[in-house]
Amino acid sequence: MMRAKTLRQDGHPVLRWNVGNVAVETDAAGNLKPSKQVSTERIDGVVALIMAVEAMDRHGSTRPPSYQMYVFGGPP
């Protein structure tokens, strides 16, 4: 979804920082995954986002996906 630019966030600085820290590994099955061991700093926001999108896909409907993310409590 990130490659296709179908997932957008509203520029939250912490999530932007997390995304900039992510290093990706490929597991034995060829799946891409964020790596906490290889990443330079915190990536928890990215991991939480991946888990939330997966849950939406798993429990979603048959409609084409349309994602929006709202982040509350950012800087003024």
Side-chain angles (χ1 to χ4, degrees):
M1 290 179 349
M2 291 179 137
R3 288 181 189 160
K5 299 188 181 194
T6 58
L7 179 67
R8 298 182 334 162
Q9 62 105 355
D10 203 21
H12 191 275
V14 175
L15 186 56
R16 191 177 329 128
W17 174 64
N18 285 173
V19 170
N21 294 332
V22 172
V24 178
E25 289 184 318
T26 305
D27 66 13
N31 300 309
L32 298 176
K33 62 180 186 172
S35 171
K36 286 192 173 190
Q37 286 76 29
V38 180
S39 299
T40 57
E41 293 191 44
R42 304 295 295 210
I43 63 168
D44 302 315
V46 173
V47 174
L49 178 60
I50 291 167
M51 292 171 65
V53 169
E54 188 277 328
M56 286 171 37
D57 283 345
R58 186 171 7 111
H59 298 293
S61 67
T62 57
R63 296 181 316 176
S66 174
Y67 302 102
Q68 284 189 329
M69 186 173 102
Y70 296 95
V71 178
F72 298 96

